[in-house]
Amino acid sequence: PVLVVDFGAQYAQLIARRVREASVYSEIVAHTITAAEVQALNPLGIVLSGGPSSVYADGAPAFDPAIFDLGIPVLGICYGFQVMATALGGTVAHTGAREYGSTPVTVSAAGNALLADQPTDQTVWMSHGDSVSEAPAGFSVLASTASTPVAAFANDTRRLYGVQWHPEVRHSEFGQNVLENFLHRAAGIPADWNSGNVIAEQVARIRAQVGTGKVICGLSGGVDSAVAAALVHKAIGDQLVCVFVDHGLLRQDERRQVEEDFVLATGVRLVTVDVREQFLTALEGVSDPETKRKIIGREFIRTFEQAQAELITEAAAIDGDPIRFLVQGTLYPDVVESGGGSGTANIKSHHNVGGLPDDLQFELIEPLRTLFKDEVRAIGAELGLPAEIVQRQPFPGPGLGIRIVGSITQDRLDLLRHADAIVRAELTAAGLDREIWQCPVVLLADVRSVGVQGDGRTYGHPIVLRPVSSEDAMTADWTRLPYDLLAKISNRITNEVDGVNRVVLDVTSKPPGTIEWE
Ligand code: XMP
């Protein structure tokens, strides 16, 4: 792999993704990694990320300088560039002058591998206080800005490179090209990592792990569990059984997509557990959001465990071979943020939705553990899964249950499902699925307002539209949908959905609002 060293800002994941966009496999490691640990991983190259601090700050993230002597090509970015300069005998000046945002840079050494084929004048994204004022001995300066004399440097013999700007962000015009130049030209790493390879590698790995064992997988209807299941199925066929829980809080057509489209595309053995009644009963009269979530989580686990127990008994009755493995659709960001992988900082511990109990008696299979979401989608497409599943936007585990403000009843669910289907259809027809991160449709079941329809007075409920744009759901902005589209959605909902006489738009960013209403 190429190692991306995380100095504690959010840049490492973005860099790791950009390296993979250059068809090179990357892994994120903590800045505390030692030269011996690096050697054991045998990387083809190393990228040092940006970071939050000055190299002179108290507690500035350190880095083992012996790593520069391993003969492995290294690219330092921003803070990583300064770490490199300091470690190798250059000078980093604490000028107090800050360079932030789009900045013109002059490339003086377009002949160097790192900046090959790049224009002399270009715009890059800067975000730094300190600057490298003197390159280390043996390094040549490749670029400068008005306030930063050393904006990029190189030592071709040692294959050590650095840039002050952030090539991983789109605001740097030729940023991806800098990364690709480093990977392919300077470090000589081939561009040979792609969906096909990942599938082949995972299939081999799953076969080795499972042998002739039996495997169970819970499908949620979402992208991750679907792709994980399809991969495992490709590897071991009917040794896999999938379980789909219909708790009645799903959106229109989701169960059919899993039961028909997904099964048709993959050929997996699927057991649907219909617990719609059970969930409605458990949720009766409950309107507090946290209580709803707890009940839904508890019932979900109960259902899944019961299904497992039945399948295990069944499997044992057939050939005495119990189910030993459980598939989980864990993604790389979950692993990195939970402090897994190669020892990065523990930012938060992720629970997979419907949180499986601690004392689970299964060995886990997590074929997506090394992948980012867009890579999972690409693999799903390569495996022939339907676009409705592979391109699906995020949908919360507790489903429509947390989009009814008020208590949950069958009628309210049906009403919301109908309104939600209209919104999704119209957003798709308008070609906005990619632009919108997700668009919760919320029923204010405890609110009524007066309206007039035909000749009569109505006293109905409002539907809230919550279209948001986001990179990662941590922050979000409300999406400026075209007025004509909003008008069409509003007309359709008030005309077609009984009981709704008003449609309102949520124009709150996150923070302060969360994406979901509950
Ligand atoms: P909030 O409402 O916290 O949502 O801004 C952030 C993202 O998480 C999704 N979400 C959930 N997903 N189980 C999930 O699997 C949940 O309980 C849950 N609550 C919120 C939400 O749809 C958004 O994408």
Side-chain angles (χ1 to χ4, degrees), residues 258-293:
V258 172
E259 289 188 323
E260 295 175 22
D261 302 348
F262 180 74
V263 168
L264 195 68
T266 56
V268 300
R269 283 203 287 168
L270 178 73
V271 179
T272 301
V273 195
D274 191 332
V275 282
R276 289 179 289 179
E277 284 297 328
Q278 182 185 319
F279 271 68
L280 265 186
T281 309
L283 287 164
E284 200 174 311
V286 178
S287 50
D288 177 66
E290 283 307 302
T291 314
K292 277 184 193 172
R293 281 173 182 274

PDB file of all heavy atoms in Angstrom, residues 258-293:
ATOM      1  N   VAL A 258     -35.362  -5.460  -2.469  1.00  0.00           N
ATOM      2  CA  VAL A 258     -34.483  -6.471  -1.887  1.00  0.00           C
ATOM      3  C   VAL A 258     -34.935  -7.864  -2.307  1.00  0.00           C
ATOM      4  O   VAL A 258     -34.147  -8.672  -2.799  1.00  0.00           O
ATOM      5  CB  VAL A 258     -34.465  -6.356  -0.345  1.00  0.00           C
ATOM      6  CG1 VAL A 258     -33.695  -7.527   0.261  1.00  0.00           C
ATOM      7  CG2 VAL A 258     -33.837  -5.033   0.067  1.00  0.00           C
ATOM      8  N   GLU A 259     -36.225  -8.123  -2.139  1.00  0.00           N
ATOM      9  CA  GLU A 259     -36.724  -9.486  -2.379  1.00  0.00           C
ATOM     10  C   GLU A 259     -36.675  -9.877  -3.853  1.00  0.00           C
ATOM     11  O   GLU A 259     -36.461 -11.050  -4.178  1.00  0.00           O
ATOM     12  CB  GLU A 259     -38.167  -9.617  -1.879  1.00  0.00           C
ATOM     13  CG  GLU A 259     -38.250  -9.610  -0.371  1.00  0.00           C
ATOM     14  CD  GLU A 259     -39.654  -9.926   0.129  1.00  0.00           C
ATOM     15  OE1 GLU A 259     -40.637  -9.487  -0.527  1.00  0.00           O
ATOM     16  OE2 GLU A 259     -39.767 -10.606   1.164  1.00  0.00           O
ATOM     17  N   GLU A 260     -36.891  -8.897  -4.725  1.00  0.00           N
ATOM     18  CA  GLU A 260     -36.914  -9.245  -6.150  1.00  0.00           C
ATOM     19  C   GLU A 260     -35.634  -8.832  -6.859  1.00  0.00           C
ATOM     20  O   GLU A 260     -34.886  -9.663  -7.346  1.00  0.00           O
ATOM     21  CB  GLU A 260     -38.134  -8.619  -6.828  1.00  0.00           C
ATOM     22  CG  GLU A 260     -39.434  -9.217  -6.284  1.00  0.00           C
ATOM     23  CD  GLU A 260     -40.666  -8.543  -6.855  1.00  0.00           C
ATOM     24  OE1 GLU A 260     -40.576  -7.922  -7.939  1.00  0.00           O
ATOM     25  OE2 GLU A 260     -41.727  -8.624  -6.205  1.00  0.00           O
ATOM     26  N   ASP A 261     -35.363  -7.516  -6.903  1.00  0.00           N
ATOM     27  CA  ASP A 261     -34.235  -7.036  -7.712  1.00  0.00           C
ATOM     28  C   ASP A 261     -32.896  -7.560  -7.201  1.00  0.00           C
ATOM     29  O   ASP A 261     -32.063  -8.037  -7.974  1.00  0.00           O
ATOM     30  CB  ASP A 261     -34.216  -5.501  -7.737  1.00  0.00           C
ATOM     31  CG  ASP A 261     -35.515  -4.935  -8.299  1.00  0.00           C
ATOM     32  OD1 ASP A 261     -36.300  -5.722  -8.855  1.00  0.00           O
ATOM     33  OD2 ASP A 261     -35.729  -3.719  -8.163  1.00  0.00           O
ATOM     34  N   PHE A 262     -32.698  -7.455  -5.892  1.00  0.00           N
ATOM     35  CA  PHE A 262     -31.402  -7.877  -5.337  1.00  0.00           C
ATOM     36  C   PHE A 262     -31.222  -9.386  -5.479  1.00  0.00           C
ATOM     37  O   PHE A 262     -30.164  -9.858  -5.888  1.00  0.00           O
ATOM     38  CB  PHE A 262     -31.310  -7.456  -3.866  1.00  0.00           C
ATOM     39  CG  PHE A 262     -30.019  -7.854  -3.213  1.00  0.00           C
ATOM     40  CD1 PHE A 262     -28.842  -7.179  -3.503  1.00  0.00           C
ATOM     41  CD2 PHE A 262     -29.970  -8.915  -2.318  1.00  0.00           C
ATOM     42  CE1 PHE A 262     -27.641  -7.550  -2.921  1.00  0.00           C
ATOM     43  CE2 PHE A 262     -28.770  -9.290  -1.730  1.00  0.00           C
ATOM     44  CZ  PHE A 262     -27.611  -8.604  -2.032  1.00  0.00           C
ATOM     45  N   VAL A 263     -32.266 -10.124  -5.167  1.00  0.00           N
ATOM     46  CA  VAL A 263     -32.175 -11.586  -5.256  1.00  0.00           C
ATOM     47  C   VAL A 263     -31.954 -12.014  -6.708  1.00  0.00           C
ATOM     48  O   VAL A 263     -31.152 -12.903  -7.000  1.00  0.00           O
ATOM     49  CB  VAL A 263     -33.436 -12.244  -4.648  1.00  0.00           C
ATOM     50  CG1 VAL A 263     -33.492 -13.721  -4.988  1.00  0.00           C
ATOM     51  CG2 VAL A 263     -33.445 -12.033  -3.135  1.00  0.00           C
ATOM     52  N   LEU A 264     -32.631 -11.322  -7.609  1.00  0.00           N
ATOM     53  CA  LEU A 264     -32.470 -11.660  -9.021  1.00  0.00           C
ATOM     54  C   LEU A 264     -31.041 -11.380  -9.486  1.00  0.00           C
ATOM     55  O   LEU A 264     -30.435 -12.167 -10.208  1.00  0.00           O
ATOM     56  CB  LEU A 264     -33.456 -10.820  -9.843  1.00  0.00           C
ATOM     57  CG  LEU A 264     -33.693 -11.288 -11.274  1.00  0.00           C
ATOM     58  CD1 LEU A 264     -34.437 -12.621 -11.272  1.00  0.00           C
ATOM     59  CD2 LEU A 264     -34.504 -10.242 -12.042  1.00  0.00           C
ATOM     60  N   ALA A 265     -30.490 -10.254  -9.044  1.00  0.00           N
ATOM     61  CA  ALA A 265     -29.144  -9.870  -9.487  1.00  0.00           C
ATOM     62  C   ALA A 265     -28.063 -10.766  -8.896  1.00  0.00           C
ATOM     63  O   ALA A 265     -27.024 -10.983  -9.514  1.00  0.00           O
ATOM     64  CB  ALA A 265     -28.873  -8.413  -9.112  1.00  0.00           C
ATOM     65  N   THR A 266     -28.287 -11.264  -7.686  1.00  0.00           N
ATOM     66  CA  THR A 266     -27.216 -12.003  -7.009  1.00  0.00           C
ATOM     67  C   THR A 266     -27.484 -13.499  -6.877  1.00  0.00           C
ATOM     68  O   THR A 266     -26.559 -14.291  -6.800  1.00  0.00           O
ATOM     69  CB  THR A 266     -27.035 -11.477  -5.571  1.00  0.00           C
ATOM     70  OG1 THR A 266     -28.291 -11.585  -4.894  1.00  0.00           O
ATOM     71  CG2 THR A 266     -26.560 -10.047  -5.555  1.00  0.00           C
ATOM     72  N   GLY A 267     -28.748 -13.865  -6.766  1.00  0.00           N
ATOM     73  CA  GLY A 267     -29.076 -15.273  -6.521  1.00  0.00           C
ATOM     74  C   GLY A 267     -28.903 -15.687  -5.069  1.00  0.00           C
ATOM     75  O   GLY A 267     -28.819 -16.873  -4.769  1.00  0.00           O
ATOM     76  N   VAL A 268     -28.860 -14.736  -4.140  1.00  0.00           N
ATOM     77  CA  VAL A 268     -28.692 -15.124  -2.734  1.00  0.00           C
ATOM     78  C   VAL A 268     -29.953 -15.783  -2.179  1.00  0.00           C
ATOM     79  O   VAL A 268     -31.058 -15.558  -2.659  1.00  0.00           O
ATOM     80  CB  VAL A 268     -28.351 -13.923  -1.798  1.00  0.00           C
ATOM     81  CG1 VAL A 268     -27.081 -13.243  -2.204  1.00  0.00           C
ATOM     82  CG2 VAL A 268     -29.505 -12.949  -1.735  1.00  0.00           C
ATOM     83  N   ARG A 269     -29.737 -16.626  -1.172  1.00  0.00           N
ATOM     84  CA  ARG A 269     -30.869 -17.206  -0.428  1.00  0.00           C
ATOM     85  C   ARG A 269     -31.320 -16.167   0.577  1.00  0.00           C
ATOM     86  O   ARG A 269     -30.535 -15.697   1.399  1.00  0.00           O
ATOM     87  CB  ARG A 269     -30.410 -18.447   0.348  1.00  0.00           C
ATOM     88  CG  ARG A 269     -30.251 -19.666  -0.537  1.00  0.00           C
ATOM     89  CD  ARG A 269     -30.363 -20.905   0.310  1.00  0.00           C
ATOM     90  NE  ARG A 269     -29.168 -21.092   1.130  1.00  0.00           N
ATOM     91  CZ  ARG A 269     -29.085 -21.962   2.128  1.00  0.00           C
ATOM     92  NH1 ARG A 269     -30.125 -22.702   2.468  1.00  0.00           N
ATOM     93  NH2 ARG A 269     -27.966 -22.090   2.806  1.00  0.00           N
ATOM     94  N   LEU A 270     -32.591 -15.788   0.509  1.00  0.00           N
ATOM     95  CA  LEU A 270     -33.081 -14.705   1.364  1.00  0.00           C
ATOM     96  C   LEU A 270     -34.261 -15.164   2.208  1.00  0.00           C
ATOM     97  O   LEU A 270     -35.186 -15.806   1.717  1.00  0.00           O
ATOM     98  CB  LEU A 270     -33.531 -13.527   0.488  1.00  0.00           C
ATOM     99  CG  LEU A 270     -34.109 -12.339   1.257  1.00  0.00           C
ATOM    100  CD1 LEU A 270     -33.011 -11.583   1.973  1.00  0.00           C
ATOM    101  CD2 LEU A 270     -34.855 -11.403   0.313  1.00  0.00           C
ATOM    102  N   VAL A 271     -34.195 -14.835   3.492  1.00  0.00           N
ATOM    103  CA  VAL A 271     -35.332 -15.081   4.376  1.00  0.00           C
ATOM    104  C   VAL A 271     -35.838 -13.714   4.833  1.00  0.00           C
ATOM    105  O   VAL A 271     -35.071 -12.934   5.393  1.00  0.00           O
ATOM    106  CB  VAL A 271     -34.886 -15.890   5.622  1.00  0.00           C
ATOM    107  CG1 VAL A 271     -36.064 -16.114   6.551  1.00  0.00           C
ATOM    108  CG2 VAL A 271     -34.250 -17.194   5.193  1.00  0.00           C
ATOM    109  N   THR A 272     -37.107 -13.396   4.548  1.00  0.00           N
ATOM    110  CA  THR A 272     -37.674 -12.142   5.043  1.00  0.00           C
ATOM    111  C   THR A 272     -38.440 -12.443   6.324  1.00  0.00           C
ATOM    112  O   THR A 272     -39.222 -13.384   6.379  1.00  0.00           O
ATOM    113  CB  THR A 272     -38.651 -11.526   4.026  1.00  0.00           C
ATOM    114  OG1 THR A 272     -37.950 -11.285   2.819  1.00  0.00           O
ATOM    115  CG2 THR A 272     -39.198 -10.208   4.552  1.00  0.00           C
ATOM    116  N   VAL A 273     -38.173 -11.656   7.345  1.00  0.00           N
ATOM    117  CA  VAL A 273     -38.920 -11.814   8.583  1.00  0.00           C
ATOM    118  C   VAL A 273     -39.891 -10.643   8.653  1.00  0.00           C
ATOM    119  O   VAL A 273     -39.467  -9.489   8.682  1.00  0.00           O
ATOM    120  CB  VAL A 273     -37.984 -11.772   9.809  1.00  0.00           C
ATOM    121  CG1 VAL A 273     -38.698 -12.305  11.036  1.00  0.00           C
ATOM    122  CG2 VAL A 273     -36.721 -12.561   9.544  1.00  0.00           C
ATOM    123  N   ASP A 274     -41.174 -10.951   8.663  1.00  0.00           N
ATOM    124  CA  ASP A 274     -42.175  -9.887   8.665  1.00  0.00           C
ATOM    125  C   ASP A 274     -42.612  -9.610  10.094  1.00  0.00           C
ATOM    126  O   ASP A 274     -43.361 -10.370  10.686  1.00  0.00           O
ATOM    127  CB  ASP A 274     -43.368 -10.308   7.800  1.00  0.00           C
ATOM    128  CG  ASP A 274     -44.305  -9.146   7.553  1.00  0.00           C
ATOM    129  OD1 ASP A 274     -44.368  -8.228   8.402  1.00  0.00           O
ATOM    130  OD2 ASP A 274     -44.973  -9.141   6.500  1.00  0.00           O
ATOM    131  N   VAL A 275     -42.131  -8.505  10.648  1.00  0.00           N
ATOM    132  CA  VAL A 275     -42.452  -8.178  12.041  1.00  0.00           C
ATOM    133  C   VAL A 275     -43.128  -6.807  12.121  1.00  0.00           C
ATOM    134  O   VAL A 275     -42.961  -6.085  13.096  1.00  0.00           O
ATOM    135  CB  VAL A 275     -41.182  -8.210  12.928  1.00  0.00           C
ATOM    136  CG1 VAL A 275     -40.800  -9.622  13.277  1.00  0.00           C
ATOM    137  CG2 VAL A 275     -40.018  -7.500  12.239  1.00  0.00           C
ATOM    138  N   ARG A 276     -43.874  -6.486  11.106  1.00  0.00           N
ATOM    139  CA  ARG A 276     -44.526  -5.174  11.084  1.00  0.00           C
ATOM    140  C   ARG A 276     -45.477  -4.977  12.269  1.00  0.00           C
ATOM    141  O   ARG A 276     -45.478  -3.939  12.916  1.00  0.00           O
ATOM    142  CB  ARG A 276     -45.261  -4.990   9.753  1.00  0.00           C
ATOM    143  CG  ARG A 276     -44.287  -4.810   8.586  1.00  0.00           C
ATOM    144  CD  ARG A 276     -44.998  -4.654   7.264  1.00  0.00           C
ATOM    145  NE  ARG A 276     -45.597  -5.929   6.850  1.00  0.00           N
ATOM    146  CZ  ARG A 276     -46.293  -6.089   5.740  1.00  0.00           C
ATOM    147  NH1 ARG A 276     -46.504  -5.051   4.940  1.00  0.00           N
ATOM    148  NH2 ARG A 276     -46.783  -7.261   5.408  1.00  0.00           N
ATOM    149  N   GLU A 277     -46.252  -6.032  12.555  1.00  0.00           N
ATOM    150  CA  GLU A 277     -47.208  -5.945  13.678  1.00  0.00           C
ATOM    151  C   GLU A 277     -46.489  -5.749  15.000  1.00  0.00           C
ATOM    152  O   GLU A 277     -46.844  -4.913  15.823  1.00  0.00           O
ATOM    153  CB  GLU A 277     -48.034  -7.237  13.752  1.00  0.00           C
ATOM    154  CG  GLU A 277     -49.108  -7.352  12.703  1.00  0.00           C
ATOM    155  CD  GLU A 277     -50.163  -6.253  12.856  1.00  0.00           C
ATOM    156  OE1 GLU A 277     -50.445  -5.813  14.009  1.00  0.00           O
ATOM    157  OE2 GLU A 277     -50.679  -5.817  11.825  1.00  0.00           O
ATOM    158  N   GLN A 278     -45.454  -6.568  15.177  1.00  0.00           N
ATOM    159  CA  GLN A 278     -44.681  -6.534  16.423  1.00  0.00           C
ATOM    160  C   GLN A 278     -44.116  -5.133  16.696  1.00  0.00           C
ATOM    161  O   GLN A 278     -44.168  -4.635  17.813  1.00  0.00           O
ATOM    162  CB  GLN A 278     -43.543  -7.550  16.284  1.00  0.00           C
ATOM    163  CG  GLN A 278     -42.648  -7.695  17.490  1.00  0.00           C
ATOM    164  CD  GLN A 278     -41.475  -8.642  17.167  1.00  0.00           C
ATOM    165  OE1 GLN A 278     -41.654  -9.667  16.504  1.00  0.00           O
ATOM    166  NE2 GLN A 278     -40.279  -8.287  17.610  1.00  0.00           N
ATOM    167  N   PHE A 279     -43.595  -4.491  15.645  1.00  0.00           N
ATOM    168  CA  PHE A 279     -43.023  -3.154  15.815  1.00  0.00           C
ATOM    169  C   PHE A 279     -44.105  -2.110  16.119  1.00  0.00           C
ATOM    170  O   PHE A 279     -43.924  -1.253  16.969  1.00  0.00           O
ATOM    171  CB  PHE A 279     -42.229  -2.749  14.555  1.00  0.00           C
ATOM    172  CG  PHE A 279     -40.785  -3.172  14.611  1.00  0.00           C
ATOM    173  CD1 PHE A 279     -40.433  -4.511  14.568  1.00  0.00           C
ATOM    174  CD2 PHE A 279     -39.769  -2.226  14.726  1.00  0.00           C
ATOM    175  CE1 PHE A 279     -39.102  -4.903  14.627  1.00  0.00           C
ATOM    176  CE2 PHE A 279     -38.430  -2.604  14.790  1.00  0.00           C
ATOM    177  CZ  PHE A 279     -38.104  -3.938  14.741  1.00  0.00           C
ATOM    178  N   LEU A 280     -45.222  -2.211  15.403  1.00  0.00           N
ATOM    179  CA  LEU A 280     -46.307  -1.250  15.637  1.00  0.00           C
ATOM    180  C   LEU A 280     -46.801  -1.342  17.073  1.00  0.00           C
ATOM    181  O   LEU A 280     -47.020  -0.329  17.739  1.00  0.00           O
ATOM    182  CB  LEU A 280     -47.479  -1.545  14.694  1.00  0.00           C
ATOM    183  CG  LEU A 280     -47.543  -0.777  13.392  1.00  0.00           C
ATOM    184  CD1 LEU A 280     -48.854  -1.106  12.667  1.00  0.00           C
ATOM    185  CD2 LEU A 280     -47.455   0.732  13.632  1.00  0.00           C
ATOM    186  N   THR A 281     -46.938  -2.573  17.548  1.00  0.00           N
ATOM    187  CA  THR A 281     -47.410  -2.779  18.917  1.00  0.00           C
ATOM    188  C   THR A 281     -46.412  -2.202  19.915  1.00  0.00           C
ATOM    189  O   THR A 281     -46.773  -1.508  20.855  1.00  0.00           O
ATOM    190  CB  THR A 281     -47.614  -4.291  19.185  1.00  0.00           C
ATOM    191  OG1 THR A 281     -48.416  -4.819  18.131  1.00  0.00           O
ATOM    192  CG2 THR A 281     -48.278  -4.532  20.525  1.00  0.00           C
ATOM    193  N   ALA A 282     -45.128  -2.493  19.675  1.00  0.00           N
ATOM    194  CA  ALA A 282     -44.105  -2.021  20.612  1.00  0.00           C
ATOM    195  C   ALA A 282     -44.025  -0.492  20.630  1.00  0.00           C
ATOM    196  O   ALA A 282     -43.661   0.107  21.638  1.00  0.00           O
ATOM    197  CB  ALA A 282     -42.754  -2.614  20.242  1.00  0.00           C
ATOM    198  N   LEU A 283     -44.368   0.135  19.509  1.00  0.00           N
ATOM    199  CA  LEU A 283     -44.228   1.593  19.398  1.00  0.00           C
ATOM    200  C   LEU A 283     -45.519   2.348  19.713  1.00  0.00           C
ATOM    201  O   LEU A 283     -45.533   3.583  19.695  1.00  0.00           O
ATOM    202  CB  LEU A 283     -43.773   1.959  17.983  1.00  0.00           C
ATOM    203  CG  LEU A 283     -42.311   1.639  17.653  1.00  0.00           C
ATOM    204  CD1 LEU A 283     -42.078   1.679  16.146  1.00  0.00           C
ATOM    205  CD2 LEU A 283     -41.373   2.632  18.355  1.00  0.00           C
ATOM    206  N   GLU A 284     -46.566   1.606  20.007  1.00  0.00           N
ATOM    207  CA  GLU A 284     -47.876   2.233  20.190  1.00  0.00           C
ATOM    208  C   GLU A 284     -47.840   3.345  21.243  1.00  0.00           C
ATOM    209  O   GLU A 284     -47.376   3.141  22.366  1.00  0.00           O
ATOM    210  CB  GLU A 284     -48.896   1.167  20.589  1.00  0.00           C
ATOM    211  CG  GLU A 284     -50.321   1.597  20.332  1.00  0.00           C
ATOM    212  CD  GLU A 284     -51.295   0.447  20.603  1.00  0.00           C
ATOM    213  OE1 GLU A 284     -51.058  -0.660  20.095  1.00  0.00           O
ATOM    214  OE2 GLU A 284     -52.271   0.677  21.345  1.00  0.00           O
ATOM    215  N   GLY A 285     -48.339   4.513  20.855  1.00  0.00           N
ATOM    216  CA  GLY A 285     -48.467   5.628  21.800  1.00  0.00           C
ATOM    217  C   GLY A 285     -47.165   6.321  22.167  1.00  0.00           C
ATOM    218  O   GLY A 285     -47.149   7.242  22.965  1.00  0.00           O
ATOM    219  N   VAL A 286     -46.041   5.908  21.558  1.00  0.00           N
ATOM    220  CA  VAL A 286     -44.753   6.508  21.926  1.00  0.00           C
ATOM    221  C   VAL A 286     -44.433   7.675  20.999  1.00  0.00           C
ATOM    222  O   VAL A 286     -44.389   7.501  19.782  1.00  0.00           O
ATOM    223  CB  VAL A 286     -43.613   5.463  21.818  1.00  0.00           C
ATOM    224  CG1 VAL A 286     -42.281   6.099  22.149  1.00  0.00           C
ATOM    225  CG2 VAL A 286     -43.897   4.280  22.720  1.00  0.00           C
ATOM    226  N   SER A 287     -44.196   8.856  21.554  1.00  0.00           N
ATOM    227  CA  SER A 287     -43.800   9.952  20.664  1.00  0.00           C
ATOM    228  C   SER A 287     -42.431  10.538  21.001  1.00  0.00           C
ATOM    229  O   SER A 287     -41.879  11.307  20.220  1.00  0.00           O
ATOM    230  CB  SER A 287     -44.871  11.052  20.645  1.00  0.00           C
ATOM    231  OG  SER A 287     -45.208  11.405  21.957  1.00  0.00           O
ATOM    232  N   ASP A 288     -41.846  10.173  22.118  1.00  0.00           N
ATOM    233  CA  ASP A 288     -40.513  10.685  22.452  1.00  0.00           C
ATOM    234  C   ASP A 288     -39.450  10.051  21.537  1.00  0.00           C
ATOM    235  O   ASP A 288     -39.354   8.834  21.442  1.00  0.00           O
ATOM    236  CB  ASP A 288     -40.191  10.356  23.918  1.00  0.00           C
ATOM    237  CG  ASP A 288     -38.787  10.803  24.261  1.00  0.00           C
ATOM    238  OD1 ASP A 288     -38.546  12.017  24.258  1.00  0.00           O
ATOM    239  OD2 ASP A 288     -37.915   9.930  24.501  1.00  0.00           O
ATOM    240  N   PRO A 289     -38.656  10.911  20.856  1.00  0.00           N
ATOM    241  CA  PRO A 289     -37.702  10.385  19.863  1.00  0.00           C
ATOM    242  C   PRO A 289     -36.725   9.347  20.417  1.00  0.00           C
ATOM    243  O   PRO A 289     -36.490   8.317  19.785  1.00  0.00           O
ATOM    244  CB  PRO A 289     -36.944  11.623  19.400  1.00  0.00           C
ATOM    245  CG  PRO A 289     -37.798  12.779  19.733  1.00  0.00           C
ATOM    246  CD  PRO A 289     -38.642  12.385  20.899  1.00  0.00           C
ATOM    247  N   GLU A 290     -36.148   9.630  21.573  1.00  0.00           N
ATOM    248  CA  GLU A 290     -35.153   8.689  22.103  1.00  0.00           C
ATOM    249  C   GLU A 290     -35.802   7.365  22.496  1.00  0.00           C
ATOM    250  O   GLU A 290     -35.226   6.298  22.301  1.00  0.00           O
ATOM    251  CB  GLU A 290     -34.415   9.308  23.302  1.00  0.00           C
ATOM    252  CG  GLU A 290     -33.362  10.323  22.894  1.00  0.00           C
ATOM    253  CD  GLU A 290     -32.361   9.772  21.875  1.00  0.00           C
ATOM    254  OE1 GLU A 290     -31.699   8.760  22.180  1.00  0.00           O
ATOM    255  OE2 GLU A 290     -32.263  10.331  20.772  1.00  0.00           O
ATOM    256  N   THR A 291     -37.004   7.434  23.048  1.00  0.00           N
ATOM    257  CA  THR A 291     -37.702   6.193  23.396  1.00  0.00           C
ATOM    258  C   THR A 291     -37.999   5.389  22.134  1.00  0.00           C
ATOM    259  O   THR A 291     -37.812   4.172  22.101  1.00  0.00           O
ATOM    260  CB  THR A 291     -39.008   6.517  24.152  1.00  0.00           C
ATOM    261  OG1 THR A 291     -38.727   7.494  25.142  1.00  0.00           O
ATOM    262  CG2 THR A 291     -39.593   5.282  24.812  1.00  0.00           C
ATOM    263  N   LYS A 292     -38.426   6.101  21.092  1.00  0.00           N
ATOM    264  CA  LYS A 292     -38.686   5.405  19.824  1.00  0.00           C
ATOM    265  C   LYS A 292     -37.438   4.669  19.348  1.00  0.00           C
ATOM    266  O   LYS A 292     -37.477   3.491  18.992  1.00  0.00           O
ATOM    267  CB  LYS A 292     -39.047   6.418  18.733  1.00  0.00           C
ATOM    268  CG  LYS A 292     -40.465   6.870  18.697  1.00  0.00           C
ATOM    269  CD  LYS A 292     -40.567   7.771  17.465  1.00  0.00           C
ATOM    270  CE  LYS A 292     -41.850   8.554  17.454  1.00  0.00           C
ATOM    271  NZ  LYS A 292     -41.856   9.549  16.359  1.00  0.00           N
ATOM    272  N   ARG A 293     -36.318   5.399  19.343  1.00  0.00           N
ATOM    273  CA  ARG A 293     -35.067   4.801  18.868  1.00  0.00           C
ATOM    274  C   ARG A 293     -34.707   3.563  19.676  1.00  0.00           C
ATOM    275  O   ARG A 293     -34.277   2.553  19.131  1.00  0.00           O
ATOM    276  CB  ARG A 293     -33.916   5.807  18.977  1.00  0.00           C
ATOM    277  CG  ARG A 293     -33.878   6.828  17.871  1.00  0.00           C
ATOM    278  CD  ARG A 293     -32.809   7.858  18.164  1.00  0.00           C
ATOM    279  NE  ARG A 293     -32.773   8.883  17.137  1.00  0.00           N
ATOM    280  CZ  ARG A 293     -32.076   8.774  16.000  1.00  0.00           C
ATOM    281  NH1 ARG A 293     -31.340   7.712  15.783  1.00  0.00           N
ATOM    282  NH2 ARG A 293     -32.114   9.736  15.096  1.00  0.00           N
TER     283      ARG A 293
END
